[in-house]
């Protein structure tokens, strides 16, 4: 039943492919939902797009349904892996934020520092944040920010002086 439509779609007929989509859309979405994929509609959409763009790789026109479901299943698996990686990154970030928040610096001090940083010019603030806040070398910051090394060193020195003036020198 699919083979004549697949042949026509391979020949460039968008109408034939639209008929294939109409025939397989509901069952494919149902399969994905019953398999536990909350984003079944999005996954099915991606599968149809991938099928259209790679229709030339389908070996047997009669095998379109199985091939389509395979594409959808792999898309779902990819999405699941991506979601797990994203969740791990988010959890790592939250853990890092919690560690930083539990450091000796209190909320008031953090807010004061942010306000003081906001008074610096943008490029100076970037240099100070990278070199003093994140421990980057001057050379690394110069490379990333596409600034001369001497400029980065000056920005860090001037930025430190300005921060100490705004926040008050604790030493």
């Amino acid at each position: 039943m699919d083979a004549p439509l697949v042949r026509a779609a391979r020949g460039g007929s968008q109408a034939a492919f639209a008929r294939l989509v109409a025939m397989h859309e509901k069952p494919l979405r149902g399969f994905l939902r019953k398999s536990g994929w909350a984003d079944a509609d999005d996954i099915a959409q991606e599968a149809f797009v991938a099928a259209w763009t790679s229709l030339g790789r389908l070996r047997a026109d009669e095998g379109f349904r199985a091939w389509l479901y395979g594409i959808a299943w792999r898309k779902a698996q990819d999405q699941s892996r991506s979601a797990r990686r994203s969740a791990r990154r988010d959890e790592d970030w939250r853990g890092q934020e919690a560690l930083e928040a539990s450091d000796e610096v209190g909320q008031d001090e953090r807010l004061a520092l942010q306000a003081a940083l906001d008074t610096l010019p943008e490029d100076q603030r970037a240099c100070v944040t990278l070199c003093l806040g994140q421990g980057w070398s001057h050379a690394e910051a110069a490379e990333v920010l596409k600034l001369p090394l001497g400029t980065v060193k000056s920005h860090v020195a001037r930025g430190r002086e300005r921060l100490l003036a705004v926040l008050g020198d604790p030493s």
Side-chain angles (χ1 to χ4, degrees), residues 121-171:
E122 184 178 296
D123 54 347
Q124 199 174 73
R125 182 172 51 242
C127 292
V128 167
T129 301
L130 289 176
C131 295
L132 300 179
Q134 296 188 5
W136 288 37
S137 71
H138 292 124
E140 291 171 323
E143 183 179 338
V144 168
L145 299 173
K146 305 285 187 235
L147 294 172
L149 180 60
T151 301
V152 171
K153 289 180 179 180
S154 296
H155 282 340
V156 170
R158 288 189 188 115
R160 178 185 296 129
E161 289 172 12
R162 174 80 178 134
L163 291 176
L164 289 174
V166 170
L167 295 173
D169 191 353
S171 55

Side-chain angles (χ1 to χ4, degrees), residues 12-42:
S13 172
Q14 292 179 359
F17 192 77
R19 289 204 43 215
L20 286 168
V21 170
M23 289 170 45
H24 293 287
E25 183 177 22
K26 273 188 167 181
L28 180 62
R29 289 172 194 247
F31 161 72
L32 291 166
R33 281 192 194 100
K34 288 176 185 167
S35 298
W37 302 104
D39 296 334
D41 295 339
D42 293 339

